[in-house]
Amino acid sequence: TSEPDRVMLSAPMPKALVPEIASTDHVVLQKYYDVILRADGIVWLRRTAEIFPSIPELHRAYGEYLKVVDDWLLDRRIKSGSLGTKAKTPMAWLTDVRAAPARRNDPEFEQAIQERRADLVKRSPLIALLVQSASGKMQITRMARTGNASLMIFDDFDEAVATLLEKMKEQT
């Protein structure tokens, strides 16, 4: 049996399972990312433990979650009355790699991630990465220096969210 690529949760996820998830969050579970669309405008991409078997599969995963995000952004613009105006709908990215499998650091993988980062930046330049370990933080910091986007790196969820919300306010 094959798992569906996308599962929509219609009920809130119990706080005991993931205390950071609020009852107002919209959660879309995918093979490589859980996409949590927060009411405050933060897109929380929570990396699953599933290993990317290939670079094309990484690109497919990005396309899959970007479709979900783009639909959500359009819905937010419609609900805010901003559709058809130049007003921006504030948003930010919180990429959570705490549950990611052992980090790949081969050049091909890092290049693919950097290429796809542009897809995130064109939607919002506010990108925070949430890591679990010192070694993960070191690798992400190294990758951030070689990329062309400004990345904020955290090991504390609440600090990452607070910083993103503050930076979102500065953009409005």
Side-chain angles (χ1 to χ4, degrees):
T1 59
S2 69
E3 243 178 87
D5 284 339
R6 187 176 299 158
V7 177
M8 301 288 274
L9 294 182
S10 57
M13 190 171 276
K15 275 209 148 305
L17 292 178
V18 185
E20 295 102 341
I21 292 184
S23 62
T24 55
D25 294 344
H26 182 74
V27 179
V28 180
L29 303 178
Q30 296 180 339
K31 185 174 184 176
Y32 301 102
Y33 293 94
D34 296 337
V35 184
I36 298 100
L37 305 165
R38 295 170 43 110
D40 58 15
I42 294 175
V43 175
W44 176 16
L45 298 172
R46 193 173 56 195
R47 181 71 170 86
T48 69
E50 189 74 29
I51 296 170
F52 287 116
S54 66
I55 299 301
E57 187 67 5
L58 178 143
H59 289 297
R60 190 196 67 71
Y62 267 72
E64 184 178 62
Y65 78 66
L66 287 171
K67 165 84 172 92
V68 170
V69 171
D70 287 345
D71 289 348
W72 173 76
L73 284 171
L74 178 61
D75 189 56
R76 287 186 75 218
R77 286 189 61 76
I78 291 168
K79 288 179 179 173
S80 72
S82 299
L83 194 63
T85 71
K86 292 182 180 181
K88 293 194 179 224
T89 305
M91 74 154 293
W93 299 99
L94 175 58
T95 302
D96 182 347
V97 294
R98 293 177 293 180
R103 300 191 179 31
R104 284 183 60 171
N105 61 1
D106 57 278
E108 183 184 29
F109 178 78
E110 289 186 5
Q111 179 64 35
I113 293 290
Q114 287 179 17
E115 288 170 6
R116 295 312 301 248
R117 193 177 302 147
D119 292 325
L120 278 62
V121 170
K122 74 180 173 186
R123 289 160 177 85
S124 173
L126 300 177
I127 303 174
L129 293 160
L130 186 60
V131 298
Q132 181 157 335
S133 67
S135 64
K137 198 168 187 176
M138 286 181 353
Q139 180 187 355
I140 298 292
T141 300
R142 182 178 54 75
M143 286 176 70
R145 281 194 305 261
T146 60
N148 59 359
S150 174
L151 301 176
M152 298 171 282
I153 304 164
F154 299 89
D155 57 11
D156 180 87
F157 180 87
D158 293 330
E159 182 184 356
V161 168
T163 300
L164 286 172
L165 290 173
E166 185 61 36
K167 294 209 176 273
M168 287 167 66
K169 283 182 198 169
E170 293 170 8
Q171 288 191 330
T172 55

